[in-house]
Amino acid sequence: ETGVTQTPRHLVMGMTNKKSLKCEQHLGHNAMYWYKQSAKKPLELMFVYSLEERVENNSVPSRFSPECPNSSHLFLHLHTLQPEDSALYLCASSQDRPPHTGELFFGEGSRLTVL
Amino acid sequence: GQNIDQPTEMTATEGAIVQINCTYQTSGFNGLFWYQQHAGEAPTFLSYNVLDGLEEKGRFSSFLSRSKGYSYLLLKELQMKDSASYLCAVGAYGQNFVFGPGTRLSVLP
């Protein structure tokens, strides 16, 4: 496998469910990110991890809980979500610690629908 | 903070040339990136400008004017497969990327 892979690609959940999104990067990068992409809105940065430490949390509600067990894996744990949380959740990685000038490598995304 | 603006939608004809503009306001500018995103797929890196001028890469070119806070992506010899969203992103010292709203380009036969 190469690049950044995300699972599941599609997820439908009720507001009381607990689920997790998984991201794995095979690029040897040091930084990993979660972005939210909603219809007709810019990509919103949610969390940044650098060398397995969370270095940024952009005022994301506590119903989203990230976890980075090692430099290759990143999770986003979801619980008691709201319908407005329905979006495409993109994982990305980059070589450098933030701030960086290198490019971001994105996964294919996990399309989340909250009923 | 940072503010980035792009046209929402553009339409062009196969074989033509199209220019997608991006204007930005930021402090500590550290580079401008263009990404392409096909529907339902991941954004992929197209170009990076940190100095003023034109960077050419095949059919795609990107221009930057730091004094004007302006960039454009130029696509030549348009193909149907170029139909996608094009995202402008700005990097700044001490901050992570900020993405613009994206421009959805439709290439018509």
Side-chain angles (χ1 to χ4, degrees), chain B residues 9-20 75 78-80 82-83 104-109:
Chain B
E9 294 189 27
M10 298 183 71
T11 303
T13 305
E14 194 174 13
I17 298 173
V18 70
Q19 178 175 310
I20 303 174
L75 292 75
L78 279 174
Q79 302 175 10
M80 300 297 290
D82 297 329
S83 293
R104 187 162 60 212
L105 173 66
S106 299
V107 180
L108 305 177

Side-chain angles (χ1 to χ4, degrees), chain A:
Chain A
E1 294 190 41
T2 59
V4 181
T5 55
Q6 290 186 241
T7 54
R9 294 292 310 277
H10 299 274
L11 178 64
V12 179
M13 58 188 290
M15 291 194 289
T16 58
N17 291 157
K18 290 185 180 180
K19 297 285 184 183
S20 296
L21 307 180
K22 178 183 176 182
C23 175
E24 184 173 1
Q25 58 101 355
H26 309 272
L27 301 168
H29 287 169
N30 294 321
M32 295 186 76
Y33 311 77
W34 279 116
Y35 280 89
K36 177 183 179 182
Q37 189 174 37
S38 304
K40 301 185 178 181
K41 293 178 70 176
L43 276 169
E44 301 172 55
L45 180 63
M46 299 175 72
F47 300 104
V48 182
Y49 275 83
S50 175
L51 299 172
E52 302 160 42
E53 278 192 54
R54 190 190 311 180
V55 295
E56 191 157 334
N57 174 348
N58 276 3
S59 303
V60 179
S62 59
R63 56 186 185 268
F64 295 91
S65 174
E67 178 190 2
C68 187
N70 55 62
S71 60
S72 299
H73 293 85
L74 185 66
F75 294 89
L76 188 63
H77 303 301
L78 317 169
H79 67 96
T80 58
L81 294 191
Q82 304 298 312
E84 60 264 29
D85 297 323
S86 298
L88 181 68
Y89 289 85
L90 288 162
C91 174
S93 71
S94 66
Q95 180 63 56
D96 305 314
R97 299 181 53 175
H100 60 80
T101 58
E103 61 179 280
L104 289 171
F105 291 79
F106 285 90
E108 299 286 347
S110 294
R111 172 71 62 187
L112 173 67
T113 303
V114 181
L115 301 177

Side-chain angles (χ1 to χ4, degrees), chain A residues 37 56 98 100-101 103-104 107, chain B residues 30 33 35 37 42 45 96-97:
Chain A
Q37 189 174 37
E56 191 157 334
H100 60 80
T101 58
E103 61 179 280
L104 289 171
Chain B
N30 194 29
F33 298 77
Y35 283 79
Q37 186 178 22
F45 171 79
N96 293 292
F97 283 6

Side-chain angles (χ1 to χ4, degrees), chain B residues 35-94:
Chain B
Y35 283 79
Q36 179 191 59
Q37 186 178 22
H38 286 100
E41 297 182 14
T44 55
F45 171 79
L46 286 178
S47 69
Y48 168 58
N49 294 71
V50 66
L51 299 176
D52 290 351
L54 189 68
E55 294 280 343
E56 297 188 72
K57 193 184 290 186
R59 294 189 299 113
F60 292 9
S61 303
S62 56
F63 171 83
L64 175 67
S65 169
R66 288 171 296 171
S67 62
K68 295 181 180 178
Y70 168 68
S71 172
Y72 66 72
L73 181 69
L74 192 71
L75 292 75
K76 304 176 187 175
E77 302 169 19
L78 279 174
Q79 302 175 10
M80 300 297 290
K81 67 179 182 179
D82 297 329
S83 293
S85 288
Y86 292 86
L87 312 178
C88 171
V90 174
Y93 288 108

